[in-house]
Structures are given as structure tokens and as C-alpha cells.
Amino acid sequence: MRNSQLLVRSGLTVAAAAALPIALTAGSASAGSGISVSTTGSNVSVTTSACNTQVSGSWGTASLLTSSQANFAQGRQVTLSGSSALQSAAWSSVSPGTYTVIVMCANSDTPAGTQSVIVSAASTPTISATASPSLGVMGGLGGAAKDYGTLTLAAGGGLVAVGGLAAAWFLRRRARPYRL
């Protein structure tokens, strides 16, 4: 009984995992707008794959309309560029507000897609002034970032030798119990 419940649960999980990609692709295909609009700061761009036929060297035209403009001809128009697989258009220096983007293919009188977009006020980037090391990390053997020369190394070696001799003399002297 316990094994059969485990098999049923794992079977449902496998079925859900198999259906997820199908559901995701079906949702994006049924959106039907035919265009994709994005904003970056004060720039608006549109991409589409609906205009796959050129007429007189043009794929079509995209128009950016404000809320007070009523039709395609009143907006800021840009010619689509790209290839038969993907076409795009862009507008720069767009002031903050709500806009409607309409794409008209050159071979059709109906819009390839219409989508609203909100352009927010572009914030100025802040540059933080942080101190950074001028030479990077200087690794080595215990402070080997600077060469001290032969005299310094000889003096350091002499101090280590004197310390070693003093430690040996102290330990030897403690080893004799009759001395105070």
C-alpha cells in the first residue's frame, strides 16, 4: 500500500513537470500582441517577428503615441530595421509618462501589435568614490612586499640566533636542581 502511494505521488509529479513547458509556451503564444516593448531609462524599444516581408525595402513602421494622441499618424514614427526573423525600432529621450506603441507591417493595413508602456523618470547614476589599493595585493613570505637588503636580513638572523642561545642556556640551567 505504501509503495503504491509513493508511485502515485511520483507519477503526478512527473506529469506536472511534463505539462509545465507546454503550458508556458501555450500562454505566451496566446498573448497575441505580436510585439514586445521594453524601456531602459528614457529609451523605449520594440521588437517583433510579425513583419517578415519587405515592401520597397521597408519592414514597416512603429509609432509611439502619448495619451493625448488618437491614431498611428500622430505618434513619433520610426522605421523598423532588422531581418525577416526579427525587426526592431527604438525611441530615445522619451519623457516620463504612459505611452502606446503600435507596429504596422509594410505588407498589411492592420497593426501587427499594440502595447502600452510606462516610462519612469530616469535616475542619475551615482558614482561612489572608494579607495582602492594602488598596487593590488602584495603577497609573499611574511612581509616580502619590500626587499630589506642583506644587512637587515643578517641583523634579523643574528637576533634569532641570540634568542636561540639564550633559550638553550636558560633551559640547561633549569635542568640542574642544585642551582638556585
Side-chain angles (χ1 to χ4, degrees):
M1 178 73 172
R2 186 176 187 141
N3 288 339
S4 64
Q5 286 179 349
L6 182 62
L7 288 175
V8 169
R9 287 183 187 160
S10 62
L12 290 175
T13 305
V14 169
L20 183 63
I22 296 169
L24 290 176
T25 56
S28 63
S30 66
S33 103
I35 64 173
S36 174
V37 180
S38 63
T39 62
T40 305
S42 65
N43 297 327
V44 177
S45 62
V46 61
T47 57
T48 184
S49 58
C51 303
N52 52 14
T53 306
Q54 275 187 326
V55 176
S56 301
S58 173
W59 296 106
T61 307
S63 183
L64 182 70
L65 285 76
T66 63
S67 58
S68 63
Q69 296 170 329
N71 60 25
F72 184 84
Q74 293 176 340
R76 288 174 56 184
Q77 296 182 9
V78 176
T79 304
L80 293 174
S81 62
S83 64
S84 62
L86 187 68
Q87 306 82 39
S88 64
W91 298 268
S92 60
S93 302
V94 177
S95 58
T98 303
Y99 295 89
T100 302
V101 177
I102 301 174
V103 174
M104 297 287 286
C105 295
N107 62 346
S108 176
D109 292 333
T110 59
T114 302
Q115 188 172 344
S116 294
V117 65
I118 297 173
V119 178
S120 60
S123 62
T124 56
T126 57
I127 299 172
S128 63
T130 57
S132 60
S134 61
L135 297 175
V137 177
M138 300 171 101
L141 298 173
K146 185 175 179 184
D147 186 18
Y148 289 104
T150 309
L151 179 65
T152 307
L153 291 176
L159 286 174
V160 170
V162 168
L165 289 174
W169 176 75
F170 179 76
L171 290 174
R172 180 166 168 82
R173 188 180 153 145
R174 284 188 56 105
R176 296 183 191 162
Y178 57 88
R179 289 200 171 193
L180 293 173

PDB file of all heavy atoms in Angstrom, residues 128-137:
ATOM      1  N   SER A 128      30.275  56.034  -6.603  1.00  0.00           N
ATOM      2  CA  SER A 128      30.839  56.039  -5.262  1.00  0.00           C
ATOM      3  C   SER A 128      32.359  56.054  -5.356  1.00  0.00           C
ATOM      4  O   SER A 128      32.950  55.286  -6.094  1.00  0.00           O
ATOM      5  CB  SER A 128      30.371  54.815  -4.479  1.00  0.00           C
ATOM      6  OG  SER A 128      30.826  53.647  -5.101  1.00  0.00           O
ATOM      7  N   ALA A 129      32.962  56.949  -4.585  1.00  0.00           N
ATOM      8  CA  ALA A 129      34.414  57.067  -4.584  1.00  0.00           C
ATOM      9  C   ALA A 129      34.959  56.248  -3.423  1.00  0.00           C
ATOM     10  O   ALA A 129      34.946  56.681  -2.289  1.00  0.00           O
ATOM     11  CB  ALA A 129      34.820  58.522  -4.457  1.00  0.00           C
ATOM     12  N   THR A 130      35.421  55.068  -3.713  1.00  0.00           N
ATOM     13  CA  THR A 130      36.024  54.224  -2.688  1.00  0.00           C
ATOM     14  C   THR A 130      37.503  54.088  -2.987  1.00  0.00           C
ATOM     15  O   THR A 130      37.910  53.990  -4.139  1.00  0.00           O
ATOM     16  CB  THR A 130      35.376  52.827  -2.662  1.00  0.00           C
ATOM     17  OG1 THR A 130      35.506  52.235  -3.947  1.00  0.00           O
ATOM     18  CG2 THR A 130      33.912  52.913  -2.296  1.00  0.00           C
ATOM     19  N   ALA A 131      38.285  54.097  -1.934  1.00  0.00           N
ATOM     20  CA  ALA A 131      39.725  53.962  -2.092  1.00  0.00           C
ATOM     21  C   ALA A 131      40.069  52.526  -2.449  1.00  0.00           C
ATOM     22  O   ALA A 131      39.518  51.580  -1.906  1.00  0.00           O
ATOM     23  CB  ALA A 131      40.442  54.373  -0.814  1.00  0.00           C
ATOM     24  N   SER A 132      40.963  52.383  -3.392  1.00  0.00           N
ATOM     25  CA  SER A 132      41.413  51.047  -3.760  1.00  0.00           C
ATOM     26  C   SER A 132      42.938  51.023  -3.703  1.00  0.00           C
ATOM     27  O   SER A 132      43.592  52.043  -3.901  1.00  0.00           O
ATOM     28  CB  SER A 132      40.930  50.689  -5.170  1.00  0.00           C
ATOM     29  OG  SER A 132      41.436  51.608  -6.096  1.00  0.00           O
ATOM     30  N   PRO A 133      43.497  49.875  -3.428  1.00  0.00           N
ATOM     31  CA  PRO A 133      44.957  49.806  -3.347  1.00  0.00           C
ATOM     32  C   PRO A 133      45.582  50.109  -4.700  1.00  0.00           C
ATOM     33  O   PRO A 133      45.083  49.682  -5.738  1.00  0.00           O
ATOM     34  CB  PRO A 133      45.233  48.366  -2.912  1.00  0.00           C
ATOM     35  CG  PRO A 133      43.978  47.621  -3.122  1.00  0.00           C
ATOM     36  CD  PRO A 133      42.866  48.608  -3.153  1.00  0.00           C
ATOM     37  N   SER A 134      46.676  50.860  -4.670  1.00  0.00           N
ATOM     38  CA  SER A 134      47.299  51.270  -5.917  1.00  0.00           C
ATOM     39  C   SER A 134      48.068  50.136  -6.592  1.00  0.00           C
ATOM     40  O   SER A 134      48.185  50.120  -7.806  1.00  0.00           O
ATOM     41  CB  SER A 134      48.232  52.456  -5.671  1.00  0.00           C
ATOM     42  OG  SER A 134      49.247  52.061  -4.759  1.00  0.00           O
ATOM     43  N   LEU A 135      48.609  49.213  -5.818  1.00  0.00           N
ATOM     44  CA  LEU A 135      49.395  48.137  -6.409  1.00  0.00           C
ATOM     45  C   LEU A 135      48.726  46.777  -6.259  1.00  0.00           C
ATOM     46  O   LEU A 135      49.317  45.758  -6.557  1.00  0.00           O
ATOM     47  CB  LEU A 135      50.785  48.081  -5.765  1.00  0.00           C
ATOM     48  CG  LEU A 135      51.652  49.312  -5.963  1.00  0.00           C
ATOM     49  CD1 LEU A 135      52.944  49.186  -5.173  1.00  0.00           C
ATOM     50  CD2 LEU A 135      51.953  49.517  -7.429  1.00  0.00           C
ATOM     51  N   GLY A 136      47.511  46.734  -5.757  1.00  0.00           N
ATOM     52  CA  GLY A 136      46.841  45.456  -5.573  1.00  0.00           C
ATOM     53  C   GLY A 136      47.347  44.762  -4.321  1.00  0.00           C
ATOM     54  O   GLY A 136      47.972  45.347  -3.450  1.00  0.00           O
ATOM     55  N   VAL A 137      47.113  43.495  -4.232  1.00  0.00           N
ATOM     56  CA  VAL A 137      47.521  42.712  -3.070  1.00  0.00           C
ATOM     57  C   VAL A 137      48.968  42.280  -3.252  1.00  0.00           C
ATOM     58  O   VAL A 137      49.347  41.756  -4.284  1.00  0.00           O
ATOM     59  CB  VAL A 137      46.611  41.472  -2.910  1.00  0.00           C
ATOM     60  CG1 VAL A 137      47.072  40.621  -1.750  1.00  0.00           C
ATOM     61  CG2 VAL A 137      45.185  41.906  -2.726  1.00  0.00           C
TER      62      VAL A 137
END
